[in-house]
Amino acid sequence: MSYEIATIPGDGIGPEVVDATLPLFERVADSHGIDVEFTRYGWGSERYLEEGAMMPDDGLDRIEDSDAILLGAVGHPDVPDHVTLHGLLLPIRKRFNQQVCKRPSILFEGVESPLRGYEGGDVEFVVYRENTEGEYADVGGREHVGFDHEVAVQSAVFTRQGTEAILRAAFEAAQEREGHLTSITKSNAQAYSMVFWDDVVEEMHQDYPDVEVESLLVDAASMDFIRRPEEFDVVVASNLFGDILTDIGAIVTGSMGLAPSGNVNRSGEYPSMFEPVHGSAPDIAGQGVANPTATVLSGAMLFEEIGEDGASETLWNAVRDVLADESAPTPPDLGGSASTDEMIEALGERV
Ligand code: NAD
Ligand code: IPM
Ligand code: MN
């Protein structure tokens, strides 16, 4: 099979981890007899600073026919975040109807959790994050800017279709995994959207009677991600809650540098996008020390999504091997001093 992957390295450590990782993906593809072309798009904040836009007007049309999208990270210290993110990342998720965001949190053998008493294998859950609406709906406005009576409104939008889509994906995942689903809301304070969410969970549960459903408020869930992360299997949450919880999930399982994600278009009508959970990390950008593992695993998720399970497995196994091997290089975020390239080299030896 042959595939075309639209590749958007983006900003900061985005291009560092993507450029380092592409040769590894090409090698894995070759070894599995897959013909993959990564088409690079130099979109991002540098382009914004030079040309006034993160991507060309027809940017999304250009990548619409690709088989999948690989993205590094977006965000630049010299450009406001809402400009860069609303100019590139968020429009891709929305326009390509990537309603389901899958974010696994796995404590790998050989990785130290900041939580006392946890070892590799103890934590393995996946967060299903609603990805195109909720608190991220572009609905609202500001008026009387600069005056005492200035007003800002940011509305959260929960549609039945969107809520059912993310819940169905999460219920299905729970059925395939350990049969346990945790739904996260804030229904005690947000009596419309979140109570609606709870109602849809209850309705949909009828279709998946074998799945055990637990409901948690997001504040308590944040605590439990730290107190008892081993008890989660599939977690489902709205856009904003899912965003916050997946940074907690990443750090309790070792590092932002290990956490992959997939923004999935379930109908197949548009491409899905794969990217690390982390951002452009301006604090370490340019030093060549970003951990590329989150990008490697995002690639593993990408290969699985396009139906190339063998290539996906090879990448997952290479990561597991390197992390478990005490003599293999360890990057600074995991307590060592290995560079991005040294990590890729070690992974390359195992594919
Ligand atoms: P961040 O994820 O970029 O960084 C948080 C911390 O994790 C930093 O200390 C960073 O050094 C560390 N870290 C992140 N990735 C790492 C890696 N691969 N290896 C080692 N350490 C790593 O979050 P932030 O600092 O809040 O955001 C920076 C910029 O990125 C902002 O502009 C933000 O809007 C943007 N952002 C973009 C995305 C995305 O493109 N998907 C995601 C999150 C944040
Ligand atoms: C993420 C990021 C984005 C999000 C930002 C950069 C808009 O934090 O992918 O987790 O909130 O979705
Ligand atoms: Mn985030």
Side-chain angles (χ1 to χ4, degrees), residues 239-266:
N239 211 333
L240 180 63
F241 294 170
D243 174 48
I244 297 166
L245 289 168
T246 51
D247 265 33
I248 305 178
I251 204 67
V252 300
T253 51
S255 173
M256 294 303 295
L258 296 176
S261 83
N263 306 273
V264 179
N265 171 272
R266 296 248 292 175

Side-chain angles (χ1 to χ4, degrees), residues 107 111-120 122-123 125 222-230 232 248-254:
L107 181 56
V111 173
E112 199 182 338
S113 168
L115 303 182
R116 189 170 9 102
Y118 284 88
E119 286 177 2
D122 286 350
V123 182
F125 62 82
S222 306
M223 178 192 65
D224 278 341
F225 263 43
I226 289 164
R227 183 173 64 167
R228 53 170 187 105
E230 71 280 10
F232 294 103
I248 305 178
I251 204 67
V252 300
T253 51

Side-chain angles (χ1 to χ4, degrees), residues 74 85 89-90 93 103 129 136 239 243 246 275 277:
V74 179
L85 276 313
L89 178 68
L90 298 173
R93 290 182 187 163
R103 297 185 159 185
R129 167 189 181 187
Y136 282 43
N239 211 333
D243 174 48
T246 51
E275 52 168 336
V277 172

